[in-house]
């Protein structure tokens, strides 16, 4: 056995279930060792897609993600996806061959690259370290919620590994890491004083609002029980969309995607409690959703978050579920923000499809709101929706509903376009029980088009919706009103349906509401091929959320 095989076997022994990647000479043996250890390997067509698939898989499966890439260009190709994962604190391990000889055309400072994008750089420097370094990479990824680059120098990974296999298993097992779906919990519980102060603030608040983020996706029961006692309304950041679905007090997403009602009620809160949520500019509309007189509390595993974005008047360090349960034991029931009038307004105005609009469909183009509502009505409810970035993104995010927090995958921490299709693939592999839906702009779709073959090869019954305005729409609506030339960001029509058919997909072009009948036919059929919906959308003006976003530019 060589060192590369030892590392693969150690990670397989630790419990890695699925790995993604593009195989070259520098990661050939470690990838095969993963497979030999029982790990499913998903071959992508581009390393950037592989990294994003692994990120989405980790988010939606509750297991650590693994991506395997070649040295040098394999790693640089993956860098955008790795940056997204690092910024999102996704538990992810990157296995990369490394050319340490400076004369090699593959040589770059891979550790410096990882550090630059916020990942943790590690290296297997000798055969003796094979098991222990693999175990440490796993521990850091899971317990510290970090993206870890484990460099495998070519000369070291080709060296013989002399230890027996049971030593590898023992080394991998030394890390007592929890399952990746569970957040790392500090050994000490939340501070008694901090818990008591949060209970006091809830007891004094007349209009409390809870905003739950990714760090709260495991804590619905505890948060709803506390909110019931405190009379709090419930909202989420975009990444936690669906967490409170079904509650009569669910305001859905806070921030640029918020409905007019949600924005009004959150802005009216006298106490905002952020649960595993940073309250960044997107979640708070650049701070405008938090009224000047409101108290702000943040509950998070990372105390550094207490002073970022909207600073907290009180920070409580700890796991969201544990803190919520501890606070509930000290809070007496009170009505708070809840009343029959508020409940009625949430029922009648709580979703974007409840907000009246003038349908602008016509001339061979469909209003993206009408398109999204139509898809929401046609597609099965048990779905998992993945969103790319761009001017279009608010429409599927807000008009295509999801059943719960496991139905929405939002890789937007780095705001790169082109990640949406790969995100949908990783999410689909994590949740094969749900219909995967990828929502893309035309720019992002064409950037990630190589992975369309991956969707077909894997036999995923995916619906891929392309909101095509024949432009980089965000730039058009940002610079166009000021009279700037737009020739660099607008494009001639592309037949995306034909491209999809060439890859083996079914496809339908939608330019009017009646064209959605083709989607209904696919849903009613065997779904034995993925479906691409080429939607020619209206583009006369920018989206409402984009107008909010531009305020921060």
């Amino acid at each position: 056995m060589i060192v590369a095989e030892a590392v693969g076997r150690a990670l397989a022994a630790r419990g890695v279930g699925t790995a993604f990647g593009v195989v070259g000479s520098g990661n050939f043996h470690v990838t095969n060792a993963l497979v030999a250890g029982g790990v499913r390997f998903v071959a992508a067509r581009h390393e950037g897609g592989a990294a994003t698939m692994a990120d989405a898989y980790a988010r939606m499966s509750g297991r650590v993600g693994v991506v395997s890439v070649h040295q040098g260009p394999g790693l640089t190709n993956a860098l955008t996806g790795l940056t997204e994962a690092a910024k999102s604190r996704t538990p992810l391990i990157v296995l990369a061959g490394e050319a340490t000889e400076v004369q090699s055309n593959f040589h770059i400072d891979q550790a410096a690259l990882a550090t630059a994008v916020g990942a943790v750089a590690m290296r297997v420097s000798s055969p003796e370290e094979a098991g222990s370094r693999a175990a440490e990479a796993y521990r850091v990824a899971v317990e510290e919620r970090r993206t870890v680059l484990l460099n495998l120098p070519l000369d070291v990974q080709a060296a013989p590994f002399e230890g027996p296999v049971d030593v590898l298993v023992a080394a991998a097992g030394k890390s007592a890491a929890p399952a990746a779906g569970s957040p790392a919990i500090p050994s000490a519980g939340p501070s008694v004083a901090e818990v008591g102060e949060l209970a006091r603030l809830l007891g004094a608040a007349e209009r409390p609002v809870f905003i739950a983020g990714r760090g709260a996706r495991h804590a619905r029961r505890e948060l709803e029980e506390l909110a019931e006692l405190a009379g709090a309304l419930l909202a989420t950041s975009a990444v936690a969309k669906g967490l409170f679905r079904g509650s009569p007090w669910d305001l859905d997403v806070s921030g640029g995607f918020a409905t007019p009602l949600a924005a009004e009620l959150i802005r009216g809160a006298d106490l905002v409690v952020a649960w595993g949520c940073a309250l960044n500019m997107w979640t708070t509309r650049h701070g405008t959703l938090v009224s000047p007189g409101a108290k702000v509390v943040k509950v998070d595993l990372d105390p550094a978050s207490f002073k970022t974005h909207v600073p907290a008047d009180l920070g409580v360090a700890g796991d969201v579920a544990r803190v919520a349960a501890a606070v509930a034991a000290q809070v007496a029931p009170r009505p708070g923000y809840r009343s029959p009038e508020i409940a009625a307004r949430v029922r009648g105005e709580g979703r974007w499809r409840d907000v009246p609009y003038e349908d602008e469909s016509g001339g061979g183009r469909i209003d993206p709101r009408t398109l999204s509502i139509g898809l929401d009505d046609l597609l099965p409810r048990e779905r998992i929706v993945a969103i790319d970035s761009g001017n279009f993104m608010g429409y599927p995010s807000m008009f295509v509903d999801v059943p719960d927090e496991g139905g929405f995958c939002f890789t937007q921490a780095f705001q790169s376009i082109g990640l949406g299709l790969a995100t949908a693939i990783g999410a689909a592999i994590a949740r094969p029980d749900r219909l995967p839906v990828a929502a893309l702009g035309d720019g992002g779709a064409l950037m990630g088009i190589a992975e369309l073959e991956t969707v077909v090869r894997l036999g995923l019954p995916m619906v891929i919706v392309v909101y095509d305005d024949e432009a980089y729409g965000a730039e058009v609506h940002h610079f166009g009103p000021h009279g700037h030339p737009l020739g660099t960001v607008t494009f001639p029509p592309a037949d995306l349906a034909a491209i999809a058919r060439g890859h083996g997909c079914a496809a339908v072009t939608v330019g009017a509401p009646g064209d959605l009948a083709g989607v209904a036919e696919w849903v009613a059929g065997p779904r034995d091929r993925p479906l691409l919906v080429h939607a020619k959308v209206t583009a006369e003006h920018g989206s409402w959320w984009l107008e909010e976003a531009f305020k921060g530019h």
Side-chain angles (χ1 to χ4, degrees):
M1 183 188 303
I2 60 174
V3 168
E5 295 169 328
V7 171
R9 294 213 181 177
L11 288 172
R14 190 62 190 89
V16 170
T18 302
F20 302 80
V22 176
V23 174
S25 59
N27 65 323
F28 183 84
H29 294 297
V30 70
T31 305
N32 281 345
L34 287 167
V35 174
V39 176
R40 179 187 183 185
F41 179 70
V42 178
R45 286 300 189 173
H46 191 278
E47 290 90 348
T52 301
M53 292 174 202
D55 181 5
Y57 171 83
R59 296 179 192 226
M60 307 314 292
S61 70
R63 303 185 70 175
V64 68
V66 172
V67 59
S68 177
V69 298
H70 188 61
Q71 66 271 15
L75 181 61
T76 57
N77 278 348
L79 208 57
T80 298
L82 300 185
T83 305
E84 168 65 34
K87 284 181 173 289
S88 298
R89 298 295 290 266
T90 299
L92 182 68
I93 300 169
V94 185
L95 300 172
E98 183 182 27
T100 53
E101 172 53 57
V102 294
Q103 301 304 317
S104 169
N105 59 318
F106 291 125
H107 175 72
I108 53 173
D109 191 341
Q110 297 190 172
L113 277 180
T115 302
V117 302
V120 176
M122 295 184 180
R123 176 179 288 114
V124 176
S125 299
S126 69
E128 293 75 22
E129 291 182 350
S132 61
R133 295 304 280 172
E136 178 64 3
Y138 188 96
R139 185 200 67 77
V140 172
V142 175
E143 289 188 0
E144 300 181 22
R145 298 180 305 157
R146 300 296 299 274
T147 293
V148 179
L149 168 64
L150 184 59
N151 282 311
L152 304 173
L154 299 181
D155 57 342
V156 175
Q157 63 167 294
F161 177 77
E162 303 295 346
V165 175
D166 58 352
V167 172
L168 280 178
V169 176
K174 285 180 182 177
S175 168
S182 303
I185 300 175
S187 56
S191 161
V192 173
E194 291 169 353
V195 167
E197 179 60 10
L198 176 50
R200 186 192 69 78
L201 289 171
L202 286 170
E206 296 181 358
R207 298 178 305 282
V209 168
F210 289 178
I211 303 179
R214 184 177 176 187
R217 291 175 72 232
H218 65 294
R220 172 173 180 160
R221 178 178 59 82
E222 291 85 355
L223 289 177
E224 286 192 331
E225 288 176 357
L226 178 58
E228 177 71 21
L229 290 169
L233 304 182
L234 300 164
T236 70
S237 67
V239 294
K241 176 180 170 66
L243 179 61
F244 301 117
R245 188 63 76 247
S247 167
W249 309 106
D250 176 21
L251 302 180
D252 205 23
V253 174
S254 173
F257 291 167
T259 62
L261 176 66
E264 173 194 333
L265 295 177
I266 294 169
R267 195 176 283 120
D270 60 357
L271 175 65
V272 175
V273 186
W275 300 91
C277 176
L279 293 183
N280 62 26
M281 65 178 184
W282 307 111
T283 307
T284 65
R285 291 191 182 178
H286 306 283
T288 62
L289 291 187
V290 180
S291 67
K295 292 287 186 182
V296 175
V297 178
K298 291 185 178 181
V299 180
D300 204 286
L301 290 168
D302 184 7
S305 69
F306 298 159
K307 297 303 178 184
T308 59
H309 305 295
V310 178
D313 297 292
L314 171 67
V316 183
D319 169 63
V320 165
R322 290 178 63 178
V323 172
V327 174
Q330 300 185 34
V331 173
R334 59 197 319 273
Y337 216 159
R338 300 183 175 190
S339 68
E341 178 191 6
I342 294 293
R345 292 195 66 192
V346 172
R347 283 195 304 273
E349 308 169 48
R351 297 290 176 268
W352 268 108
R353 63 184 298 156
D354 301 326
V355 179
Y357 71 94
E358 182 178 348
D359 190 342
E360 297 176 354
S361 302
R365 293 196 169 271
I366 186 170
D367 190 306
R369 295 164 292 189
T370 303
L371 167 70
S372 303
I373 291 171
L375 292 169
D376 185 50
D377 289 340
L378 287 171
L379 299 178
R381 306 308 298 174
E382 287 300 309
R383 62 185 71 149
I384 186 163
V385 180
I387 310 291
D388 208 336
S389 191
N391 173 63
F392 78 95
M393 63 191 289
Y395 300 114
S397 295
M398 294 298 95
F399 288 95
V400 179
D401 204 4
V402 294
D404 52 36
E405 74 282 2
F408 194 68
C409 195
F410 197 67
T411 48
Q412 295 292 329
F414 196 36
Q415 249 185 299
S416 172
I417 72 169
L419 304 185
L421 184 55
T423 297
I425 295 171
I429 292 170
R431 293 298 305 266
D433 57 316
R434 294 191 169 181
L435 176 75
V437 180
L440 321 174
D442 53 306
L446 289 167
M447 277 191 183
I449 201 72
E451 302 306 344
L452 202 55
E453 187 278 335
T454 305
V455 177
V456 174
R457 171 166 36 89
L458 295 176
L460 299 176
M462 184 180 293
V463 176
I464 303 158
V465 186
V466 182
Y467 291 68
D468 183 10
D469 60 1
E470 298 170 7
Y472 293 135
E475 283 64 37
V476 167
H477 297 296
H478 189 28
F479 296 106
H482 302 290
H484 296 290
L486 299 174
T488 56
V489 292
T490 54
F491 301 90
D495 192 343
L496 298 174
I499 292 173
R501 293 188 189 103
H503 281 81
C505 297
V508 58
T509 299
V510 175
D515 297 333
L516 287 169
V519 178
E521 291 175 10
W522 182 89
V523 171
R527 306 183 203 170
D528 53 353
R529 291 188 294 165
L531 172 70
L532 185 134
V533 180
H534 180 197
K536 294 178 175 291
V537 297
T538 56
E540 283 70 29
H541 50 76
S543 59
W544 83 94
W545 76 268
L546 193 68
E547 295 174 0
E548 290 289 339
F550 284 156
K551 294 176 182 178
H553 284 256

